[in-house]
């Protein structure tokens, strides 16, 4: 009350039973409490760090059990004097959440599985989880290196599983080799991608999360965005609506992504009432920018301004909220072949059935044009119902079941892309990667150092004069990698393998 001029009430914390979940659009009381708590905790952390240094020791924070109030991505974290942050690695997203923390000398990942009886019991093979965890983390480490790795739990349990000990030895050797070859420098990113939501930088790599690396039914269709980006050949940052309102869109941003369900912190809620926000983003895209929307992007909980998606004109897609049922909605013919879907495999029988079935005739309120049979081939996760193209100039790439799952739209000199959902898979990571390159008019940059097999990814290290190809599966994979001079190199990779070549 002395600092902020008002007193917090119990309801500010109870929040109608939501308890200020990160999914809630943050309110003033919530933001003020975060600032207040952070100031208190950080002051004490600084004292503890100074005490550690006076004793000749380093000060390390474990991200997960002890980070409340420290806010690693909030301005000023670098002033605490911490030497390092260590955290549990569950997948690529949580790896980046640790690796990207600024203001410390180094970061460390605590890999899975923990040496506990729930995994280390007779008849189980912990090496399976160990390699799966490593594959998920490795693609992110190549993009944002962590300096150290480790495990946790009871060593006496792990010692009873020699195969697991050998697996950890292999993983540790590979981790060292990556650092020796790259000098701890991140792989080159081709594009600059910004995730736009209410939290911005302060919740970097924490969007769409309920539990650490454990997406659920309501979240997995969006969490896949982060997991795909975590190991993709792009540079990722997180920006807030306040950033855009105060400073516009930074000149070096190639693509903005906004996604999630309506009325959440990740789509924005009532911030879309502000005409300055929509004007700024429309002008940026019209001038050559790229906007990718996932799920219910730019949505307002109440139907306003004739649209549910406030940037429906940019995306080319909106969602029927039972307010405009009397307005016909015409679906243009689906375009099955496109740059974005070039790597999508469609079952030939499904393709034939889709072509033979044709399209629905016009009906009151729908206008017609929807495909009778699904084309398929893409996992969009939980469906977003009643999406439709805003005009017949929109290019539909998937519109199964009478609603839009994937569409692209030209908007002035820029482009919009709509995706209804994006659970993580190698195929969907490739789909998103192609969408980002297409939306930003960078199709000509895509081929060099691309892999023909989505299960294999390529990371380029110009300063080290090398590139690597990784197999992200527990099965042997083959792929061809296109080089900048037009030549192609073939790779046959064992399960979980990594191969290095000179540039």
């Amino acid at each position: 009350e002395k600092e902020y001029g008002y007193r917090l009430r119990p309801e500010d914390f109870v929040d109608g039973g939501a308890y200020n979940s990160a999914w809630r659009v943050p309110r003033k009381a919530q933001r003020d409490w975060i600032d207040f708590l952070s100031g208190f905790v950080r002051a004490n952390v600084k004292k503890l760090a100074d005490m550690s240094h006076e004793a000749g020791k380093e000060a390390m924070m474990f991200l997960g059990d002890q980070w409340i109030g420290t806010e690693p991505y909030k301005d000023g974290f670098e002033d605490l004097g911490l030497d390092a942050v260590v955290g549990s690695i569950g997948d690529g997203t949580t790896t980046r959440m640790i690796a990207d923390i600024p203001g410390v000398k180094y970061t460390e990942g605590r890999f899975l599985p923990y040496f506990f009886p729930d995994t280390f019991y007779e008849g189980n093979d912990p090496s399976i989880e160990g390699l799966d965890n490593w594959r998920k983390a490795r693609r992110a480490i190549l993009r944002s290196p962590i300096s150290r790795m480790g495990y946790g739990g009871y060593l006496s349990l792990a010692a009873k599983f020699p195969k697991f000990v050998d697996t950890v030895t292999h993983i540790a050797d590979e981790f060292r080799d990556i650092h020796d070859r790259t000098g701890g420098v991140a792989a080159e990113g081709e594009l600059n991608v910004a995730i736009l939501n209410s939290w911005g930088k302060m919740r970097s790599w924490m969007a769409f999360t309920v539990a650490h690396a454990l997406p659920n039914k309501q979240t997995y269709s969006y969490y896949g965005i982060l997991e795909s980006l975590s190991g993709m050949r792009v540079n990722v940052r997180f920006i807030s609506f306040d950033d855009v309102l105060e400073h516009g869109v930074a000149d070096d941003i190639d693509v903005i992504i906004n996604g999630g369900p309506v009325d959440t912190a990740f789509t924005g809620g009532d911030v879309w009432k502000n005409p300055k926000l929509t004007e700024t983003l429309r002008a940026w895209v019209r001038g050559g920018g790229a906007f990718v929307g996932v799920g219910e992007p730019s949505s307002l909980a109440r139907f306003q301004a004739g649209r549910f998606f406030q940037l429906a004109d940019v995306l080319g897609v909106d969602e029927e909220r039972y307010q405009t049922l009397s307005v016909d909605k015409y679906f243009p013919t689906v375009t099955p072949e496109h740059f974005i879907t070039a790597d999508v495999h469609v079952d030939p029988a499904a393709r034939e059935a889709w072509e033979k079935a044709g399209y629905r005739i016009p009906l009151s309120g729908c206008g017609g044009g929807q495909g009778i049979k699904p084309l398929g081939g893409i996992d969009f996760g939980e469906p977003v119902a009643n999406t439709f193209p805003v005009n017949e100039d929109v290019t539909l790439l998937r519109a199964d079941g009478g609603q839009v799952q994937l569409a692209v739209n030209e908007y002035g000199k820029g482009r919009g892309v709509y995706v209804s959902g994006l659970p993580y898979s190698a195929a969907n990571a490739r789909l998103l990667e192609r969408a980002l390159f297409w939306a930003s008019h960078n199709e000509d940059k895509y081929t060099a150092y691309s892999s023909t097999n989505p299960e294999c990814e390529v990371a380029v290290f110009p300063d080290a004069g090398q590139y690597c190809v990784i197999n992200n599966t527990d099965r042997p994979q083959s792929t061809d990698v296109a080089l900048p001079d037009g030549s192609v190199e073939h790779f046959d990779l064992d399960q979980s393998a990594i191969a290095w070549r000179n540039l």
Side-chain angles (χ1 to χ4, degrees), residues 149-469:
M149 64 169 291
Y151 290 86
Y154 301 105
L155 292 174
S156 58
L157 279 177
K160 297 176 182 178
F161 293 80
K163 182 182 177 183
F164 176 76
V165 174
D166 291 343
T167 298
V168 170
T169 301
H170 170 77
I171 290 172
D173 287 343
E174 192 172 297
F175 180 84
R176 292 188 193 96
D177 186 57
I178 291 172
H179 270 268
D180 289 344
R181 290 175 179 273
T182 66
V185 176
E188 183 177 53
E190 297 286 341
L191 306 175
N192 293 321
V193 177
I195 306 292
L196 173 64
N197 58 42
S198 299
W199 295 108
K201 184 179 70 171
M202 192 172 77
R203 290 286 177 265
S204 295
W205 298 105
M206 302 178 199
F208 314 122
T209 299
V210 174
H212 189 82
L214 294 173
N216 58 29
K217 184 178 185 293
Q218 287 76 28
T219 69
Y220 76 97
S221 302
Y222 305 113
Y223 190 83
I225 301 169
L226 297 186
E227 191 63 16
S228 296
L229 290 172
S230 70
M232 196 180 290
R233 49 176 171 159
V234 298
N235 306 311
V236 183
R237 74 185 70 168
F238 293 78
I239 62 174
S240 69
F241 298 108
D242 289 340
D243 293 333
V244 174
L245 288 169
E246 293 173 15
H247 308 293
V249 179
D251 293 339
D252 64 336
I253 292 177
D254 296 303
V255 188
I256 289 176
I257 300 175
N258 175 247
V262 63
D263 204 26
T264 62
F266 305 121
T267 46
D270 285 348
V271 72
W272 291 104
K273 289 180 179 179
N274 190 333
K276 183 179 178 181
L277 178 63
T278 53
E279 289 166 7
T280 300
L281 291 172
R282 282 193 179 105
W284 178 73
V285 178
R286 190 172 290 281
F291 190 87
V292 175
V294 183
E296 295 177 317
S298 72
S299 53
L300 269 174
R302 291 162 299 285
F303 181 80
Q304 298 178 48
R307 292 294 182 194
F308 180 56
F309 298 169
Q310 301 307 297
L311 294 181
D313 53 329
V314 174
L315 296 167
V317 175
D318 201 359
E319 181 181 328
E320 176 58 68
R321 302 292 284 187
Y322 307 97
Q323 308 298 307
T324 60
L325 289 173
S326 298
V327 179
D328 286 348
K329 297 160 183 70
Y330 294 91
F331 279 56
T333 302
V334 168
T335 302
E337 280 88 22
H338 190 274
F339 177 86
I340 292 175
T341 56
D343 292 319
V344 173
H345 172 73
V346 176
D347 180 72
R351 173 68 180 266
E352 183 180 4
W354 171 75
E355 291 175 342
K356 287 183 177 179
Y359 296 89
R360 291 187 176 91
I361 61 173
L363 297 170
S364 175
C366 74
Q370 299 96 330
I372 294 174
K373 291 282 188 178
L375 178 56
I378 304 172
D379 178 12
F380 295 103
E382 298 298 309
V384 177
N386 303 322
T387 47
F388 64 90
V390 299
N391 58 54
E392 295 181 79
D393 295 326
V394 178
T395 301
L396 300 183
L397 305 185
R398 286 297 184 278
D400 295 339
Q403 51 212 12
V404 180
Q405 291 87 35
L406 180 61
V408 297
N409 187 46
E410 302 284 347
Y411 193 80
K413 296 179 181 179
R415 288 170 169 174
V417 177
Y418 174 78
V419 190
S420 63
L422 203 83
Y424 178 70
S425 67
N428 277 355
R430 177 61 60 89
L431 186 81
L432 178 60
E433 182 183 64
R434 281 186 166 275
L436 297 176
F437 276 78
W438 181 87
S440 59
H441 289 90
N442 280 301
E443 302 99 309
D444 58 330
K445 291 184 179 180
Y446 185 82
T447 301
Y449 294 114
S450 63
S451 162
T452 55
N453 183 348
E455 301 286 2
C456 302
E457 292 178 300
V458 183
V460 181
F461 301 87
D463 292 342
Q466 291 186 304
Y467 74 94
C468 68
V469 185

